[in-house]
Amino acid sequence: KMVLSGALCFRMKDSALKVLYLHDNQLLAGGMHAGKVIKGEEISVVPNRWLDARLCPVILGVQGGSRCLSCGTGNEPTLKLEPVNIMELYLGTQESKHFTFYRQELGLTSSFESAAYPGWFLCTAQEADQPVKLSQIPKDSPWDAPITDFYFQQCD
């Protein structure tokens, strides 16, 4: 198996074309900030080598992979940015489930399901400049349901 020497770089937008960006140590989804168009955060991505590759398990980081998205360890998941290096998780000996999301491709977009909390997905609010969170998808989604579909494109 080939071992990556560094994380891959992706950009993420939700299906409403809000970009993911960092503000005050939080990952938000929006488009404009103080009248400026936001470029969006570079998301560092590595596969989780300990989980079933067919489920496309990925670990997502920001700030060059110096902080990683975690679902926490509580009864219900809470999305956090933890100060853990993405390559340490990639090369480590733990399965790092609470840092892992199963990426499912649906046409042009992907959804990201928590490996540690099945049924919980990365999501954004309909409104701009709200935090990225985790939510369960209701069977009959109301019009204001969270957005769980993302465009996930490798950086140029």
Side-chain angles (χ1 to χ4, degrees), residues 3-38:
V3 174
L4 293 176
S5 57
L8 304 172
C9 171
F10 281 79
R11 290 190 188 278
M12 281 174 83
K13 291 178 195 167
D14 69 15
S15 56
L17 303 183
K18 296 197 295 292
V19 296
L20 271 50
Y21 68 97
L22 272 178
H23 181 69
D24 286 345
N25 289 328
Q26 262 197 320
L27 198 56
L28 307 182
M32 305 277 290
H33 204 76
K36 293 191 186 69
V37 176
I38 301 165

Side-chain angles (χ1 to χ4, degrees), residues 48 51-58 97 100-105 111-113 115:
N48 182 321
L51 300 175
D52 186 345
R54 289 168 305 190
L55 297 172
C56 220
V58 291
K97 244 186 176 172
T100 305
F101 298 87
Y102 292 127
R103 177 187 174 199
Q104 285 168 293
E105 290 190 67
S111 66
F112 295 87
E113 182 177 14

Side-chain angles (χ1 to χ4, degrees), residues 36-148:
K36 293 191 186 69
V37 176
I38 301 165
K39 179 106 163 99
E41 201 58 35
E42 292 188 354
I43 309 288
S44 301
V45 180
V46 295
N48 182 321
R49 301 187 301 154
W50 301 100
L51 300 175
D52 186 345
R54 289 168 305 190
L55 297 172
C56 220
V58 291
I59 297 170
L60 306 172
V62 293
Q63 292 180 319
S66 62
R67 298 162 73 201
C68 292
L69 266 68
S70 147
C71 297
T73 52
N75 292 337
E76 284 209 343
T78 311
L79 196 66
K80 307 184 175 105
L81 287 173
E82 296 198 25
V84 181
N85 188 288
I86 196 167
M87 292 310 288
E88 283 177 30
L89 293 178
Y90 174 68
L91 296 167
T93 55
Q94 310 286 320
E95 64 170 17
S96 303
K97 244 186 176 172
H98 62 285
F99 287 103
T100 305
F101 298 87
Y102 292 127
R103 177 187 174 199
Q104 285 168 293
E105 290 190 67
L106 320 145
L108 295 173
T109 59
S110 298
S111 66
F112 295 87
E113 182 177 14
S114 167
Y117 298 88
W120 289 81
F121 291 82
L122 273 188
C123 70
T124 59
Q126 296 281 348
E127 309 81 44
D129 306 313
Q130 296 300 310
V132 178
K133 292 188 169 160
L134 292 155
S135 80
Q136 292 171 303
I137 302 175
K139 284 283 170 279
D140 27 82
S141 293
W143 61 269
D144 61 349
I147 297 169
T148 55

